[in-house]
């Protein structure tokens, strides 16, 4: 392998990833914002902001798949004599004397130095506020007085990110701004139906501004050499139509050693319908003034930043491990939990691979994401469960997606993904185990958001289970519907029309025999959870009813779902096997191995062990386990999108990291700690970062959805970073199954599964109103708790009974 160059490193003490070369192999981004106002920011300050919904309320403009890549963002131009530079290197790309980008927990700090001047910008979204703060600190480290010209830059998006990039016959005539002192207001469409506007402010007197893009950049110039900046003179342009922007111009004199702060604020405001205007055509700026006043000094900004850091301290103090292995500790304690929170906030909507216009929140995605953050913010997990369940249909089926702004099911994508209902059980059980809050089951929740249709959440869980039972195929296995977890295994959608989306083409389920072993396993896993829950709430009749269904499903899998060395993947429309040794290609798939081993189906007959061995033999490679093997080499009309991808990518034999943890959990349940760990470490970002930054390309501090598999042109290359179910699954796997700290109804179940090389480790776990300090002594064992001592006294079994207060736990394996 070629010698790998490094672009950065971890700084665990500050919980940061430090990028030291701006020319990363792909933009390495971070996320700002925790509740309503969000931003994406790359290591060169590219990216954009939005309020709640990346499609409908886009605040600043961004051009995806641009040339050069990642052009457009919040840019500061420093003009020092004839030299113009940016602290983040881009867009001018003037060589810097020093560059550093520190991505931290919901903040990013970018620092550049040139000719004795340092410009350092701290970007963050303060808690509970609808704005992005950009605190720019300029320092003169030279021995001469510096006369600097500073230009800021933001480009407004005309709110709807989709029409913003296509409806030019209208857009070029609608743009409107207002300028007041040091604040530039963006008010396109405010005159009619919008009751929101944005602003860009700086807490200093300005010596000029520009709000019209063409004037500022010049029609034949670029962000790298905007005309106004190059000339060193603002034009005070006022945008009418075309493309409104916001740029402040400030003249800064710095004595040797002098330092000055400027607080730039990108804000978003909503007004009441009858308070929109303060005079005809003039927006009511009262709320903007108030927001600005809250953040108009360095002291106020520093305080808001300290609050944000405390917020993250609190979140990350709930589960902390000390193993002595830095690479593991930093992922568990910092980055994996951080990624889970980002995934919760953004679902699959906005990353540098997700354009923010395509997808709402996924039913299955959101339920899975929940296990990644439920320990940190249970009230929001609770709300999320109710929101999701409210989009369900009375028969248990689900809208596949919903829009966060309206919380309504998304008609464009529709439903019929037959795995969806099961995930509601998965999410709800995780919530109750974490919190002990059974009252959620009594919440009245509508179907499809229809007032009057409310039933209890428990009833939703019941219809979810029933949806599977009522949709069984010829082998008494679950009918797959439009697709199961694998969106691309489209067994009932036959398409020869390249203009059709596989996700929405007609679902011909009439007469289908297409059954899914993935749903079968998922049903058994969530069915067991459901049975336990029913018993817990004293509904024994329902528990017995569902136990029967679970047993029947288990039998059906053993009888019709076993191929000899592994579990089949599915039966197609005609009833032919998929994922069988009899097939020419794609003889084995990962999803059914994962779910059926998690369900421990046929463990007593050796099926689990054989299946796990087959994963090692056929799916595993240097970079993880591929989804199927061998890859499809041609398009198969009966299978759909899965065979549309070139070999080794995405669902066609890519390493779809999301499903690797399923097999890892299967390994853990089987007690095979060495194998579990070796699979886990292969896709653990901190291990990958050490080995190959250039090959992997995408951010080395988070998981990506997909790494090119062994059949690909370039195995090991990562794509679709950040927003992926992988985050929650990696967390669930390591926290509960490898390190073995498992929330349960009555306490914490301790059941680690470790490599035999593991040494003693300690987990600090805040659980409801208790704090546990749990030290595990593995003694070279991969599995099996021999004894637990709680506050000095040995206990029976491996569940630490919950009681409030501080507790010390010693576990011997
Ligand atoms: C994407 C989707 C997820 C799906 C997976 C496999 O990650 O967000 O819902 O399960 O692809 O197709
Ligand atoms: C494509 C992708 C898949 C994703 C789906 C839904 O099929 O391959 O990963 O889940 O689109 O957007």
């Amino acid at each position: 392998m070629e010698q790998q160059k490094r672009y950065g490193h971890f700084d665990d003490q500050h919980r940061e990833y430090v990028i030291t070369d701006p020319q990363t192999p792909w933009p390495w981004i971070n996320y700002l914002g925790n509740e309503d106002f969000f931003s994406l920011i790359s290591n060169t300050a590219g990216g954009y902001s939005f309020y709640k919904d990346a499609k409908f309320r886009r605040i600043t403009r961004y051009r995806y798949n641009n040339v050069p890549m990642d052009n457009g963002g919040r840019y500061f131009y420093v003009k020092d004599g004839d030299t113009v530079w940016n602290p983040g290197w881009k867009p001018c790309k003037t060589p810097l004397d020093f560059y550093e980008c520190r991505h931290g927990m919901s903040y990013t700090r970018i620092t550049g130095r040139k000719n004795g001047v340092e410009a350092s910008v701290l970007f963050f979204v303060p808690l509970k506020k609808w704005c992005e703060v950009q605190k720019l600190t300029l320092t003169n480290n030279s021995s001469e007085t510096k006369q600097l010209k500073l230009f800021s830059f933001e480009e407004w998006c005309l709110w709807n990110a989709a029409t913003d990039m296509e409806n030019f016959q209208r857009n070029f005539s609608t743009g409107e701004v207002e300028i007041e002192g040091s604040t530039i207001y963006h008010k396109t469409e405010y005159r009619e139906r919008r009751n929101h506007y944005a602003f860009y402010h700086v807490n200093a007197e300005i010596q000029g501004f520009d709000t019209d893009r063409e004037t500022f950049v010049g029609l034949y110039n670029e962000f790298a050499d905007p005309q106004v900046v190059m000339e060193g003179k603002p034009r005070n342009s006022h945008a009418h139509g075309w493309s409104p922007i916001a740029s402040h111009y400030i003249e800064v004199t710095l004595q040797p050693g002098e330092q000055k702060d400027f607080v730039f604020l990108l804000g978003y405001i909503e007004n009441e319908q009858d308070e929109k205007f303060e005079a005809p055509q003039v927006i009511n700026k009262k709320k903007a003034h108030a927001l600005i006043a809250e953040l108009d000094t360095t002291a106020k900004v520093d305080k808001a930043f300290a609050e944000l850091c405390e917020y993250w301290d609190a979140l990350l103090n709930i589960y902390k491990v000390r193993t002595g292995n830095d690479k593991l500790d930093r992922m568990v304690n910092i980055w994996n939990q951080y990624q889970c929170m980002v995934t919760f906030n953004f679902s699959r909507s906005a990353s540098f691979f997700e354009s923010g216009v395509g997808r709402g929140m996924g039913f299955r995605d959101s339920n899975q994401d929940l296990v990644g953050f439920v320990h940190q913010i249970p009230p929001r997990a609770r709300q999320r469960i109710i929101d999701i369940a409210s989009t369900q249909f009375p028969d248990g089926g689900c809208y596949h997606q919903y829009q966060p702004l309206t919380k309504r099911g998304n008609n464009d994508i529709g439903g019929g993904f037959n795995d969806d209902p099961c995930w509601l059980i998965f999410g709800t059980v995780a919530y109750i185990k974490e919190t002990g809050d059974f009252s959620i089951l009594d919440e009245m929740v509508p179907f499809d958001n229809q007032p009057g249709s409310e039933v209890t959440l428990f009833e939703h869980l019941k219809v979810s289970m029933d949806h599977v039972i009522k949709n069984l195929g010829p082998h008494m296995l679950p009918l797959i519907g439009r697709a199961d977890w694998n969106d691309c295994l489209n067994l009932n959608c036959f398409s020869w029309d390249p203009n059709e989306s596989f996700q929405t083409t007609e679902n011909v389920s009439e007469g289908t025999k297409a059954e899914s072993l993935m749903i079968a396993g998922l049903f058994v896993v969530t069915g067991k959870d459901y049975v336990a829950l029913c018993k817990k709430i004293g509904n024994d009749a329902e528990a017995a009813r569902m136990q029967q269904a679970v047993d029947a499903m288990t039998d059906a899998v053993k009888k019709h779902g076993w191929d000899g060395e592994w579990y089949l993947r599915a039966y197609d429309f005609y009833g032919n096997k998929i994922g069988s040794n009899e097939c020419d290609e794609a003889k084995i798939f990962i999803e059914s191995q994962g779910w059926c081993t998690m369900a421990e189906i046929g463990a007593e007959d050796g099926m689990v062990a054989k299946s796990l061995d087959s994963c090692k033999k056929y799916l595993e490679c240097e970079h993880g386990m591929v989804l199927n093997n061998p890859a499809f080499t041609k398009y198969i009309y009966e299978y759909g999108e899965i065979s549309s991808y070139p070999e080794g990518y995405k669902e066609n034999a890519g390493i779809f990291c999301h499903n690797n943890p399923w097999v890892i959990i299967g390994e853990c349940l089987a007690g095979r700690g060495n194998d579990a760990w070796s699979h886990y470490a292969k896709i653990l970002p901190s291990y990958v970062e050490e080995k190959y930054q250039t090959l992997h390309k995408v951010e080395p501090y988070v998981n990506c959805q997909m790494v090119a598999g062994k059949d690909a042109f370039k195995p090991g290359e990562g794509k679709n970073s950040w927003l992926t179910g992988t985050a929650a699954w990696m967390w669930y796997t390591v926290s509960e199954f490898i390190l073995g700290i498992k929330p349960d109804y009555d306490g914490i179940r301790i059941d680690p599964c470790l490599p035999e090389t593991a040494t003693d480790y300690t987990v600090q776990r805040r659980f409801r109103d208790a704090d546990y300090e749990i030290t595990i002594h593995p003694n070279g064992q991969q599995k099996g708790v021999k004894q637990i001592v709680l506050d000095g006294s040995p206990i029976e079994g491996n569940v630490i009974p919950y009681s409030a207060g501080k507790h010390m736990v010693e576990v011997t394996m």
Side-chain angles (χ1 to χ4, degrees), residues 416-438:
F417 294 78
N418 282 352
D419 63 314
D420 272 340
C422 293
W423 297 111
L424 189 62
I425 318 272
F426 182 71
T428 307
V429 164
Y431 169 78
I432 300 176
K433 286 188 171 171
E434 178 66 39
T435 58
D437 171 19
F438 287 90

Side-chain angles (χ1 to χ4, degrees), residues 363-374 378 381-382 384-386 388 420-435 440-441 457 461 522 526 529 533 595 729 732 745:
F363 192 98
R364 77 158 86 88
D365 292 344
S366 298
N367 273 301
Q368 292 171 79
D369 294 347
L370 207 127
V371 303
F373 71 87
V374 63
R382 193 181 204 276
R384 178 63 58 93
I385 291 170
I386 308 285
I388 296 171
D420 272 340
C422 293
W423 297 111
L424 189 62
I425 318 272
F426 182 71
T428 307
V429 164
Y431 169 78
I432 300 176
K433 286 188 171 171
E434 178 66 39
T435 58
I440 191 173
L441 295 173
L457 180 68
L461 302 189
L522 174 66
T526 49
D529 280 341
L533 180 66
W595 281 101
W729 278 102
Y732 186 54
Y745 296 120

Side-chain angles (χ1 to χ4, degrees), residues 32-49:
L32 315 177
N34 287 288
E35 235 156 307
D36 296 326
F37 189 107
F38 295 106
S39 301
L40 289 75
I41 182 165
S42 72
N43 60 305
T44 56
Y48 60 92
S49 304

